[in-house]
Amino acid sequence: MQQPLLIDGPLVDAIHNQRASLLRNGLMVVAFTSLEDFIRNRTVELFKIISRTVLPFSQLPKELKEAATIGAARSAVYQAGLANRAGKDPIALVQSAARSVGSTLSGALEICEYSLAYSGPNVTSADLSSALGAFQISDPWNEMSSIASRCGLGSLPLKQAYETMQLNRNRAAHDVNANIQPGDFYSFVQEAKSIAIGFDLLTSRAARLLTEGDKSVLNGKKKLSSSIAIRYIQPRGTKYVEHIENRTRAVKVAKDREEAWRLAVGNARRKRDAVVELNSRGVPIEWYTSEAP
């Protein structure tokens, strides 16, 4: 009878460690892609809002106009190449983008979805800076850090953090020997959340102001973080409380999470505030912007 193959302990451990490493690498790629998708998709949503402005296209900020024309055309060519390799119709994609670019000259404005952050395979830190700059946000990385700090995520140097995240993503995707550690995931979650919240609240405020034709942002870049009021909801015992930043007294006490959100969103809409839900440890788990929901 053939004897079973015996594999010693160290080899078994090595196989398990390799599988765990490959799993962590795959998760890092998926996690970073999710952050990129959020940035891209949210930007497209905000373009739809800005496209409803009563202002003529010529009065929008220079960087936004360039993104909606030159940037859109350049990105459409890149995206058409991807579509072609995926067996999709690149001509239809280019035609759709051309129609959107053409709307900047006459007719109902429709800012092309590819105007920002679609010119390459990844959303780089430069892409993020350009996107925030096109929305007329000054000092974008520090502005995002300011929002994150107010939400309990610490004062991280977010530009460096984002570039490290992207480096880890590229290593995980292209280097079979990359060994993403559990600690890398913990850092990623915190830093990605900081960037997502900061990006969303800042660009949503800017989109509303641009749509309304606010001269303070039409005439130049502006720091907006300090003008964004944040309402927090958080569990307290069996109930949920709503409180406003820098105020110790609760605005509302709700019987459950659903009621807390309903009340907070109603209050936020009246004053154009943001809502951030914190867990029992004071860490953000969900947010809402009343300016571009």
Side-chain angles (χ1 to χ4, degrees):
M1 180 183 292
Q2 184 178 6
Q3 295 297 318
L5 180 63
L6 298 179
I7 303 178
D8 62 15
L11 183 53
V12 171
D13 291 342
I15 293 172
H16 287 170
N17 289 339
Q18 184 182 42
R19 287 177 176 173
S21 177
L22 290 173
L23 177 60
R24 290 195 297 269
N25 291 351
L27 288 173
M28 177 58 76
V29 173
V30 171
F32 189 79
T33 300
S34 297
L35 176 59
E36 291 178 309
D37 287 345
F38 172 80
I39 292 166
R40 284 170 166 160
N41 293 337
R42 186 56 176 150
T43 302
V44 172
E45 291 173 349
L46 296 175
F47 283 159
K48 291 179 181 178
I49 292 173
I50 296 175
S51 294
R52 298 197 295 264
T53 182
V54 296
L55 294 174
F57 181 76
S58 61
Q59 291 185 20
L60 291 177
K62 178 176 180 289
E63 289 183 26
L64 184 56
K65 289 190 294 184
E66 290 179 348
T69 52
I70 300 169
R74 184 185 299 118
S75 296
V77 172
Y78 175 79
Q79 293 297 322
L82 295 181
N84 190 46
R85 288 193 289 275
K88 299 178 181 179
D89 185 1
I91 295 176
L93 187 151
V94 172
Q95 288 173 328
S96 176
R99 185 168 53 250
S100 296
V101 172
S103 75
T104 65
L105 182 62
S106 62
L109 178 62
E110 180 188 345
I111 298 178
C112 180
E113 62 182 301
Y114 301 129
S115 296
L116 290 168
Y118 276 96
S119 61
N122 298 121
V123 179
T124 66
S125 61
D127 290 330
L128 257 177
S129 295
S130 296
L132 289 159
F135 280 96
Q136 292 295 80
I137 295 164
S138 173
D139 197 14
W141 291 101
N142 284 330
E143 284 286 272
M144 285 193 290
S145 293
S146 175
I147 294 288
S149 177
R150 291 165 58 191
C151 293
L153 289 166
S155 301
L156 298 170
L158 288 182
K159 185 174 185 291
Q160 180 181 343
Y162 188 83
E163 291 172 347
T164 299
M165 282 191 284
Q166 186 166 34
L167 178 63
N168 284 336
R169 179 267 175 212
N170 291 340
R171 285 176 50 236
H174 304 297
D175 183 359
V176 295
N177 295 315
N179 187 18
I180 303 299
Q181 296 299 308
D184 295 327
F185 280 108
Y186 176 79
S187 297
F188 174 88
V189 170
Q190 297 298 102
E191 293 157 0
K193 196 177 294 183
S194 297
I195 290 168
I197 293 178
F199 180 86
D200 195 8
L201 298 194
L202 288 167
T203 53
S204 295
R205 168 60 58 89
R208 177 179 68 80
L209 295 175
L210 288 168
T211 304
E212 294 175 351
D214 188 287
K215 291 184 178 180
S216 66
V217 291
L218 289 174
N219 294 336
K221 291 184 174 63
K222 186 176 180 180
K223 292 185 177 182
L224 297 175
S225 63
S226 61
S227 67
I228 300 172
I230 302 175
R231 293 173 178 270
Y232 302 94
I233 57 177
Q234 189 172 16
R236 181 179 296 174
T238 60
K239 300 183 184 299
Y240 277 76
V241 298
E242 174 190 345
H243 62 93
I244 300 175
E245 190 175 21
N246 299 323
R247 296 187 191 178
T248 56
R249 188 173 181 178
V251 175
K252 293 285 184 182
V253 178
K255 61 183 179 182
D256 55 32
R257 182 174 182 265
E258 182 179 355
E259 182 184 47
W261 265 103
R262 179 173 56 80
L263 293 172
V265 167
N267 291 332
R269 284 175 175 169
R270 285 191 290 274
K271 298 192 175 182
R272 290 173 169 169
D273 297 341
V275 179
V276 175
E277 180 181 356
L278 308 174
N279 64 17
S280 58
R281 295 179 288 110
V283 177
I285 58 174
E286 193 169 343
W287 69 91
Y288 166 86
T289 168
S290 62
E291 299 182 274

